[in-house]
């Protein structure tokens, strides 16, 4: 089970005995959740390593890195993340919906000198979950069109409106960032 670890933001929420905190940005319609899930990360990284060796690189917005097929949500290893996001959204009060569906999930692997070009997603809410990230500005910050930018660390999860433009700066370090990216739609 994926559990949220740190209490770091303003609006405290609780789901049973698992504390969750979320920050909603007024001019940046997204929120950031910091989670710790080592066993999930280890399983996911193992599966993605195999995937990147066995399946073609479907680069679309990523330059110099790897992007997988966009249906990873069908794999039990990765579907746990979507279940946890659904649980968070239902309990934070940010969205009211009957049903959530993940319509796309893929991985992006960015080693040295790779970057992700400016783009937008399809759906209502999109997310980027970092399986590997070191928090260093030189390893390629995630930048939103609002000019907010973040140096992701392992287990950071960013949720934002799908139509919000964003990109990842060039990774200048000998460090590989790995993320799971997903697009969600909601039935009201």
């Amino acid at each position: 089970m994926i559990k949220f670890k740190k209490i770091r933001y303003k609006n405290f929420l609780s789901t049973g005995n698992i504390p969750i905190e979320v920050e909603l940005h007024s001019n940046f319609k997204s929120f950031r959740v910091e989670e710790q899930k080592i066993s999930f990360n280890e399983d996911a990284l193992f599966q993605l390593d195999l995937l990147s060796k066995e399946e073609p690189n479907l680069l679309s917005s990523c330059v110099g890195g790897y992007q997988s097929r966009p249906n990873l949500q069908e794999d039990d290893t990765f579907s746990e993340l979507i279940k946890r996001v659904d649980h968070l959204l239902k309990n934070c009060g940010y969205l009211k919906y009957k049903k959530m569906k993940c319509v796309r999930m893929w991985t992006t692997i960015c080693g040295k000198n790779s970057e992700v070009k400016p783009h937008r997603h399809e759906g209502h809410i999109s997310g980027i979950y970092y399986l590997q990230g070191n928090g260093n500005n030189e390893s390629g910050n995630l930048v939103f069109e609002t000019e907010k930018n973040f140096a992701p660390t392992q287990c950071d999860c960013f949720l934002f409106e799908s139509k919000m433009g964003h990109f990842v700066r060039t990774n200048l370090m000998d460090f590989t960032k790995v993320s799971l990216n997903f697009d969600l739609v909601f039935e009201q």
Side-chain angles (χ1 to χ4, degrees):
M1 159 100 29
I2 297 172
K3 293 187 179 180
F4 289 78
K5 180 183 96 167
K6 288 194 176 179
I7 295 180
R8 186 172 168 187
Y9 299 108
K10 298 175 186 172
N11 303 318
F12 181 75
L13 301 167
S14 180
T15 58
N17 60 358
I18 303 170
I20 300 173
E21 286 226 337
V22 176
E23 180 178 11
L24 299 175
H25 301 268
S26 57
N27 67 338
F28 180 56
K29 294 181 180 176
S30 70
F31 52 94
R32 180 179 177 190
V33 179
E34 190 164 304
E35 307 175 31
Q36 180 65 41
K37 19 186 186 320
I38 297 304
S39 64
F40 172 79
N41 281 14
E42 290 171 350
D43 291 345
L45 286 167
F46 177 77
Q47 293 298 325
L48 293 174
D49 183 54
L50 292 175
L51 186 78
S52 67
K53 292 174 182 171
E54 296 172 358
E55 294 189 11
N57 189 350
L58 302 177
L59 289 176
S60 57
S61 60
C62 184
V63 177
Y66 174 84
Q67 281 183 315
S68 71
R69 59 184 159 83
N71 64 343
L72 295 182
Q73 75 275 13
E74 296 171 4
D75 184 312
D76 288 340
T77 300
F78 309 113
S79 65
E80 179 64 27
L81 176 62
I82 299 306
K83 289 176 191 171
R84 193 64 186 118
V85 169
D86 185 34
H87 182 76
L88 168 72
L89 291 174
K90 281 183 177 170
N91 289 284
C92 77
Y94 181 67
L95 291 172
K96 302 289 184 211
Y97 60 93
K98 290 180 184 174
K99 185 177 179 182
M100 180 188 87
K101 181 178 182 183
C102 180
V103 293
R104 276 174 297 288
M105 179 186 273
W106 66 99
T107 189
T108 301
I109 301 173
C110 291
K112 187 172 184 175
N113 298 321
S114 61
E115 63 186 23
V116 178
K117 298 181 287 190
H119 65 284
R120 298 175 193 280
H121 291 226
E122 296 175 20
H124 298 126
I125 298 287
S126 294
I128 305 169
Y129 174 77
Y130 284 88
L131 293 158
Q132 283 185 181
N134 64 4
N136 189 311
N137 290 329
E138 297 295 311
S139 65
N141 281 8
L142 171 63
V143 182
F144 290 92
E145 66 186 16
T146 59
E147 298 183 17
K148 291 244 182 187
N149 72 88
F150 301 92
T153 61
Q154 181 183 21
C155 300
D156 278 352
C157 185
F158 298 89
L159 301 173
F160 50 94
E161 290 180 286
S162 298
K163 64 184 178 181
M164 184 176 290
H166 58 285
F167 65 95
V168 176
R169 291 191 174 123
T170 304
N171 181 356
L172 302 174
M173 299 184 73
D174 286 321
F175 177 82
T176 300
K177 284 193 310 190
V178 181
S179 65
L180 284 172
N181 316 285
F182 50 91
D183 296 333
L184 309 171
V185 295
F186 300 90
E187 183 181 301
Q188 297 299 327

